[in-house]
Amino acid sequence: MKTVDFIGGKVKIAKADGYDAPSSDAVFLAAATPVKENAQVLDVGQGCGILGILLAWRQPSIRVTGLEIDPELCKAAMLNFKLNKADGLSKNADITKCKIRETFDCVITNPPFFSEAPLSPVPQRGLARTQTVPLKTWLDFCLKRVKPKGNFAMLHKPAALPEILAAFIAHKMGAAQIIPIFSKAGQPANRIIVRAIKGSGQAVQILPGIVVHDGKAMTKAADAVLRDGGTLFL
């Protein structure tokens, strides 16, 4: 497996043969997810493990459990935990059948959200990006596994926001915060990060967004996250 550097080489991720390397989406989501010392973290749809590893890079005391339907990606995740000296476990699981009952201090997810598989000569790429489980089912699974006062964070398309907020209401998630991600200034957001706390009574907030590109160059704000390991906490 080839390795790809993240956060200026501070994190190294081995990608499975035939699969794409993780995108900047994962780096932004991890940067927006606070975790406390010794937190138990669940990463749903783990892929190669980058989200949990990026969280562990900031907070080495955490324990990450990842759920992933693709056994090859599970193998890659376990290799990446070892490569980055992170405390983690990857379980091969289908969330529509998974019987896990534990609850976690933090649940994080970057689910596939294309309605159709992108055209690709490599079948695994399309499978990794295509939504095969209804978003409501995915959210129900994730939110049931957040401890009281635990936090949840995800990245998705802006069009999914009404469904995400409806799930938050159903599962008593409060203090929801929305962070828009813009590919370029002056364009609609093409991604959103949404996070919330179980049992909080605080209202929804829309936080300042982040613009990724300024022409062909990376913006200073994006560069601070992607290369220097900055956070998106407020």
Side-chain angles (χ1 to χ4, degrees), residues 15 17-18 27 31 48 61 68-69 78 81 83 85 89 95 97 118 171 174 176 178-179 210 216 234:
K15 76 179 192 71
D17 292 339
V27 185
C48 65
S61 64
E68 172 55 49
I69 196 170
M78 289 304 298
F81 284 132
L83 186 63
K85 298 179 180 179
L89 174 67
I95 66 167
K97 302 173 183 177
H171 290 274
I178 302 154
I179 304 173
I210 185 167
K216 294 183 180 180
L234 280 183

Side-chain angles (χ1 to χ4, degrees), residues 34-112:
V35 287
K36 298 178 180 179
E37 286 187 13
N38 302 310
Q40 295 289 320
V41 177
L42 178 66
D43 181 359
V44 182
Q46 180 185 45
C48 65
I50 184 171
L51 282 176
I53 289 165
L54 287 168
L55 294 183
W57 172 70
R58 289 192 178 87
Q59 187 59 268
S61 64
I62 67 171
R63 166 73 172 174
V64 181
T65 300
L67 303 180
E68 172 55 49
I69 196 170
D70 188 326
E72 291 303 313
L73 289 176
C74 285
K75 294 177 185 177
M78 289 304 298
L79 174 61
N80 285 322
F81 284 132
K82 293 179 182 178
L83 186 63
N84 291 278
K85 298 179 180 179
D87 184 5
L89 174 67
S90 183
K91 296 183 178 181
N92 185 207
D94 178 344
I95 66 167
T96 65
K97 302 173 183 177
C98 184
K99 302 299 183 183
I100 186 170
R101 297 187 182 279
E102 299 100 312
T103 55
F104 295 80
D105 302 299
C106 175
V107 177
I108 190 168
T109 185
N110 183 15

Side-chain angles (χ1 to χ4, degrees), residues 4 12 21 25-27 36 54 69 80 115 140 158 161 173 178 180 182 196 198-199 211-212 214:
V4 181
K12 296 183 180 294
D25 285 355
V27 185
K36 298 178 180 179
L54 287 168
I69 196 170
N80 285 322
S115 57
D140 285 345
L161 184 56
M173 304 292 296
I178 302 154
F182 305 90
K198 180 161 277 190
V211 178
V212 180
D214 181 7

